[in-house]
Amino acid sequence: MAIPNSTAFNSVIRFRSPEEEKRIVSELTTNLNEGDSYFVISKRWYTSWQKYIAPIGGGAPRPGPIDNSDIIDDTTSDGDPQLRRYLVEDEDYVLVPHQVWKTLLEWYNVGPPIPMTLIYLLLSDERNVHNVTDIRLAKEASIRELYVKVCAKTGVSLEKARIWGYLNRRKVKLLNPLSNESLEESGLLMDQDILLEVDEVGLAGLVNLGNTCYMMNSTLRCLAHTPPILQYFLRDYTHQGELTKAFGELLKELWSSRKKAVAPSFFKTKLDKAAPQFSGHYQYDSHELLISLLARLHEVSDVCQGQCKSTLVCPVCGKIANTYDSFTSLSLPLPSTRTWSISFLSCLENFLAEEPLGPNNMWFCPECKEKRKANKKLDLWKLPEILVLHLKRFRTSKYFVKKIDTFVNFPINDLDLSKYVKNKNGESYLYELYAVSNHYIGPGGVRHYTAYAKLIDYNKWYHFNDSYVSPVNESVVRSKAAYLLFYRRVGSETEEAQSSEVSMTDDMD
Ligand SMILES: [Zn+2]
């Protein structure tokens, strides 16, 4: 082969640039075939190489020769190098395809090479039986390592996972998560089916203690599935008052209990004491209870707190006055038209539209120094992490309460309020629904409340009807009974930063 002299001379002393090494390896990593052989590299060495090629931070020195000494069992001196036992992929070592190994060895030397035979297991997820994914592991890998790999891939935490050998859709053998037995020793072979079972907590029902308890249960359920509130109470917290303490204990019980239903009796006695208006037979409303609870659970209510700006204009003199009001939930009026269905955004736009104040609601204009007709305009000024929307389905007159049964078509996964927020510094305000409090009027005017809430980690919705809990499809969550909507903000900058940390080894899966 004719090699120009200069290149042959220079290649001895000139290294490729980090960018070039990164590009070549990433090209070799794409287009892999299932049958490709793999080699093991010490994670310690591999990390130092990644730091060298990664532009972030910069300036890491070029690593020395490939050094696998920390993962090799040096007690066996004969024959091929043997890996130490109980190593975990991506913690102690990484696997690279044959081509990548060859190239790195060319650039860095030493080693020694440790080829590895991989097997692929076919993982069925009990929660979604149509979903089968490949799990790639060395046949020498331990059952413990299999658990770590499966949990990393499915986002399930280790203590909630159970993995079974699975044959003809039947569970044949439960694999012990603490076992150091290898896949081979456990009889797991290429293309073997395994099944993941997950202990889903947070599905205990709430016992109805009588009176209007279903209303309390529905409200509590929505709060119990509110991530920042849950995080706060599942930590060790210093409680302020008796009600807060009782609420925290109830949440802990709901999220740790394997019971079918939890009785909120202790919380109820504290609530009766703190807010006696909810204790009687009178049919209070879940929105009133929510407001009252959030006012008392002030350690956590911040996450629901937003701000509205209202602008009053006096057309006579042009005087403008702004006021800013905090809210923990936004109450949206529903139009009283006979349309059976309206879009959520039209409700919101209606709510924010400029409108004249009624004749009984004149404004004392500070300019004219007398009561004037005025126009009022609302703007969303700041929106919170948890946005609670109250659909005002009840119209109260002197003699009766009328319920508006209009179907409100609200977004479930993509409520984008960015363009409505006035004080936002270019941030986006994207929200995702995770709980709904439903209100029903049955035969004879009997009221009832239930809740839909989502197990966010598993992306699954459940219907909570006092002590009865059942899985439901996302599509049923949107109904004419929807009364309180609980949204959480998603896609904020911190979340994006976390999800963009993808390492080279992840790309190869
Ligand atoms: Zn005026």
Side-chain angles (χ1 to χ4, degrees), residues 124-307:
S124 299
D125 190 328
E126 175 207 42
R127 299 162 303 164
N128 181 1
V129 285
H130 303 296
N131 190 11
V132 177
T133 41
D134 275 352
I135 298 294
R136 187 205 67 183
L137 278 166
K139 71 180 192 324
E140 296 88 352
S142 66
I143 297 296
R144 196 166 57 116
E145 218 182 317
L146 172 67
Y147 267 86
V148 171
K149 184 105 187 184
V150 165
C151 289
K153 194 137 188 166
T154 53
V156 172
S157 61
L158 265 171
E159 65 277 10
K160 289 179 190 163
R162 276 194 303 271
I163 302 175
W164 294 80
Y166 198 46
L167 195 64
N168 299 326
R169 294 183 167 263
R170 287 183 55 195
K171 296 185 274 193
V172 287
K173 182 187 174 192
L174 179 63
L175 303 171
N176 175 5
L178 302 174
S179 170
N180 284 317
E181 238 184 19
S182 72
L183 301 185
E184 205 177 21
E185 288 161 345
S186 308
L188 291 173
L189 307 168
M190 187 72 175
D191 290 337
Q192 162 112 39
D193 287 306
I194 52 173
L195 175 77
L196 171 66
E197 263 183 358
V198 182
D199 281 338
E200 290 177 342
V201 292
L203 292 179
L206 279 164
V207 174
N208 189 335
L209 302 172
N211 293 343
T212 56
C213 194
Y214 47 78
M215 182 273 286
M216 178 182 88
N217 287 351
S218 166
T219 312
L220 286 177
R221 180 61 61 180
C222 295
L223 287 175
H225 283 250
T226 299
I229 292 184
L230 195 58
Q231 277 155 24
Y232 179 85
F233 282 104
L234 294 189
R235 276 201 318 261
D236 284 329
Y237 56 93
T238 48
H239 51 81
Q240 303 284 320
E242 284 184 29
L243 187 68
T244 314
K245 191 181 168 199
F247 179 74
E249 277 165 17
L250 180 61
L251 284 201
K252 276 191 178 151
E253 206 180 343
L254 277 177
W255 283 93
S256 63
S257 178
R258 302 231 184 278
K259 286 184 214 163
K260 275 192 107 64
V262 169
S265 335
F266 183 68
F267 175 79
K268 180 82 167 69
T269 59
K270 297 297 170 192
L271 178 68
D272 287 351
K273 207 169 138 196
Q277 69 269 32
F278 297 107
S279 66
H281 288 261
Y282 184 79
Q283 298 198 331
Y284 268 98
D285 147 302
S286 65
H287 182 238
E288 288 171 50
L289 176 65
L290 176 76
I291 299 233
S292 173
L293 267 180
L294 285 176
R296 288 172 173 82
L297 304 173
H298 37 82
E299 294 92 334
V300 292
S301 59
D302 277 7
V303 296
C304 306
Q305 202 158 93
Q307 216 173 37

Side-chain angles (χ1 to χ4, degrees), residues 395-415:
R395 192 143 300 162
T396 317
S397 78
K398 208 168 173 183
Y399 304 105
F400 58 88
V401 177
K402 183 173 176 281
K403 185 177 179 193
I404 303 167
D405 256 336
T406 310
F407 175 88
V408 179
N409 194 357
F410 50 84
I412 294 178
N413 294 309
D414 49 357
L415 173 60

Side-chain angles (χ1 to χ4, degrees), residues 314 316-319 363 365-370 372:
C314 172
V316 178
C317 66
K319 173 74 185 170
W363 179 40
C365 173
E367 192 72 28
C368 310
K369 307 233 180 314
E370 61 177 291
R372 290 289 197 197

Side-chain angles (χ1 to χ4, degrees), residues 76-89:
T76 55
S77 52
D78 54 326
D80 296 332
Q82 294 289 309
L83 270 191
R84 274 174 35 214
R85 298 204 72 183
Y86 317 140
L87 297 177
V88 174
E89 189 185 343

